[in-house]
Amino acid sequence: MASRSNLAVANDTTSESEELHRKLAVWNRMRLEPTFDGVCWEQRMKQELSLRTLEGHFIETERVGLLHDALVAPEDADGFVRWFETLTATGPGQNDPLFAYLATRATLSEMKWFLAQEVSGEAGFDDLVALTQVKLPVVAKLELARNYWDEMGQGRREAMHGPMLAHLARSLELATGDTVWESLALGNLMVGLAANRHYAYQSIGALGVVELTAPGRAEKVNAGLKRLGVAGDVRRYFALHATLDVRHSETWNREVLRPLVAANPRVARPIAEGALMRLTAGARCFERYRFELGVA
């Protein structure tokens, strides 16, 4: 019997990935929502076991694929931070041509499609930080608290980051129903790391590398929105993250990464894994976005 073509196998894999991540995305929205209905708790627990198992296999597949790269990370605190900071230039997905295109050439409809993908895959940085900080050592916990407080607009509703993004989505009338699976996978990864304590250090790495690498991308998205005539209050989310995350990254590396690795060098490897997993998931999104937008 003739073997199946590589294209057929690739199509099967894509279909399986899409089914998995659409299922996990629905569950992740449900699992984090507060509820007061305890009548069907046993049935939900059985369903959750099945979904947690799928989530675990997904995360472990991502993690195992990057074990070799994570081993390169030094286990001394200063060396680890230096290695981590190089990811902004050498990590997967960095300097992707997608963002130069968005800044200088994308049409409004193309920009809106991109933003719809980003909004659909957004897991809520504030909630991810809140989940990750549980039972961390004091110095790291305090920095995550400061980061969370910034995400919450330092107590001012109009300055909260989540509502800023929601305002952009409403103002541009983003159609978020047609999300590619790669974007959903990114959100599923971030929730899976933050919601499971055995991935707490991976979550620290993933969140930290977002702070490290986001400013350059946010700056280009903001430039593209400004070029297309989008009002300042609508693009405020990206304008803010183009500058604020620079400071967030500096303090995260100093107050979270350095003390954790100094206290226990064993955590360097899972933190590195989380950072590389997040960057790889992002790079997968950028590749798919470029394909859909016809960007070389």
Side-chain angles (χ1 to χ4, degrees), residues 113-188:
W113 182 88
F114 161 78
L115 291 171
Q117 303 303 312
E118 293 287 282
V119 169
S120 296
E122 173 59 43
F125 200 88
D126 51 351
D127 291 336
L128 297 176
V129 170
L131 289 168
T132 301
Q133 61 80 38
V134 175
K135 298 297 184 182
L136 285 183
V138 170
V139 175
K141 192 179 186 77
L142 283 171
E143 179 53 35
L144 267 69
R146 287 187 287 266
N147 190 294
Y148 177 80
W149 192 233
D150 279 350
E151 289 286 327
M152 297 300 291
Q154 297 189 354
R156 294 178 295 118
R157 180 170 182 160
E158 68 276 10
M160 290 173 64
H161 296 188
M164 282 186 202
L165 187 60
H167 173 58
L168 178 143
R170 287 193 305 271
S171 299
L172 296 180
E173 299 180 332
L174 300 183
T176 56
D178 187 24
T179 312
V180 299
W181 72 263
E182 292 87 346
S183 179
L184 298 177
L186 177 57
N188 291 335

Side-chain angles (χ1 to χ4, degrees), residues 172-217:
L172 296 180
E173 299 180 332
L174 300 183
T176 56
D178 187 24
T179 312
V180 299
W181 72 263
E182 292 87 346
S183 179
L184 298 177
L186 177 57
N188 291 335
L189 174 69
M190 296 300 288
V191 174
L193 296 180
N196 293 286
R197 297 315 290 159
H198 53 280
Y199 292 127
Y201 292 111
Q202 283 89 350
S203 186
I204 288 169
L207 293 170
V209 88
V210 171
E211 301 285 31
L212 178 73
T213 62
R217 295 192 299 272

Side-chain angles (χ1 to χ4, degrees), residues 32 52 73 88 99 109 111 128-129 171 195 213 234 237 252 265 270 294-295:
L32 298 179
R52 279 187 177 274
T88 191
F99 293 92
S109 63
M111 180 66 83
L128 297 176
V129 170
S171 299
T213 62
V234 175
Y237 177 86
W252 192 284
V295 179

Side-chain angles (χ1 to χ4, degrees), residues 256-268:
V256 181
L257 302 186
R258 189 183 301 276
L260 288 176
V261 176
N264 184 0
R266 288 183 59 196
V267 308

Side-chain angles (χ1 to χ4, degrees), residues 30-127:
M30 294 174 59
R31 82 196 279 198
L32 298 179
E33 286 287 338
T35 182
F36 52 82
D37 181 10
V39 175
C40 301
W41 69 269
E42 191 170 5
Q43 179 181 348
R44 286 199 298 270
M45 287 288 286
K46 291 177 181 178
Q47 181 186 32
E48 185 171 326
L49 175 60
S50 172
L51 290 164
R52 279 187 177 274
T53 302
L54 290 174
E55 176 185 72
H57 284 301
F58 158 58
I59 292 176
E60 281 302 299
T61 299
E62 299 283 290
R63 189 181 72 85
V64 169
L66 295 164
L67 285 179
H68 177 75
D69 294 333
L71 285 173
V72 175
E75 292 189 340
D76 66 285
D78 289 340
F80 181 81
V81 171
R82 284 194 296 271
W83 173 84
F84 194 88
E85 289 174 343
T86 66
L87 293 175
T88 191
T90 64
Q94 298 313 292
N95 303 309
D96 193 286
L98 169 70
F99 293 92
Y101 179 82
L102 293 173
T104 61
R105 295 174 54 197
T107 65
L108 182 58
S109 63
E110 289 175 328
M111 180 66 83
K112 288 172 68 173
W113 182 88
F114 161 78
L115 291 171
Q117 303 303 312
E118 293 287 282
V119 169
S120 296
E122 173 59 43
F125 200 88
D126 51 351
D127 291 336

